[in-house]
Each structure stands twice: as C-alpha cells, then as structure tokens.
Amino acid sequence: YVRVSKASGSEAGLAELQQEILAVREGFPDLTTTIDNFVTDGDTAAIFWTTKGTHTRPFLGVPPTNRPVETRGSNILTLRGGRIARETVTWDGSELLCSLGIRPLGDAAAA
C-alpha cells in the first residue's frame, strides 16, 4: 500500500497513514467523514468526501481554537486483487488552517 499526496508528492505507507489518522483524531475528536460520491471503473475507483469536526485539542502544534472545520477532498484508488494498492489523495490543507484562523505565510509576505 502506498498513499501519495497530490499537493506535495510525498508517499506514505500504512503505518504513516495510521499515525496521521491518530493525530487528526486527537485534535478533532468529533470528526466525521461523509462519502459524497464513489465511482469505480475496473481496477480504479474514486472517492469524493467531506469531513467536519471541531478543533478542541492541539493539532500540529496549534492550540485548540474550538472552531468548526470543514474540508473536502478526493482519493483516486488503484486496486489489485480487490485491495487498495495505491491511492492519490487530493485535499486543500490550507482550507483546514484557514478554518482554524491561521493565515498562510504568503499572506504575511504580501502585506
């Protein structure tokens, strides 16, 4: 299993994915993800999703803001033998940071 971030091109295995999930769940304990659409074509599938939660605990060094967040994304899956062999994940992490009230560094440089 390999998970690829479309934004950064970084790759992660199952252990790294599990750690990422635990970190997100720690910062947003009420997190829910809704599958908006699921499409398959042979050994390829696409999942489109929406995630909502409240930032009630520290996340990536950011103290709790108690703000609600909502992000959307998609995962393109490559299946082998009925299992996910590879997924490419697309979502805008800046949307999450903006929801927490954290502005991108580019905003500060522009000012």
Side-chain angles (χ1 to χ4, degrees), residues 35-41 44-49 75 77 79 84:
I35 304 298
D36 302 320
N37 203 345
F38 184 80
V39 181
T40 61
D41 182 15
T44 303
I47 303 170
F48 301 89
W49 50 266
N75 297 34
L77 313 175
L79 307 171
I84 301 170

Side-chain angles (χ1 to χ4, degrees), residues 21-70:
I21 290 169
L22 290 173
V24 171
R25 291 267 177 217
E26 176 64 26
F28 304 85
D30 66 342
L31 194 75
T32 60
T33 299
T34 303
I35 304 298
D36 302 320
N37 203 345
F38 184 80
V39 181
T40 61
D41 182 15
D43 288 338
T44 303
I47 303 170
F48 301 89
W49 50 266
T50 302
T51 297
K52 297 177 183 181
T54 310
H55 182 217
T56 58
R57 296 187 185 150
F59 177 67
L60 299 178
V62 177
T65 62
N66 294 311
R67 289 183 167 188
V69 298
E70 182 174 331

Side-chain angles (χ1 to χ4, degrees), residues 73-94:
S74 64
N75 297 34
I76 306 300
L77 313 175
T78 301
L79 307 171
R80 287 196 193 107
R83 293 180 174 223
I84 301 170
R86 180 182 181 92
E87 71 176 324
T88 301
V89 181
T90 303
W91 73 284
D92 186 358
S94 65

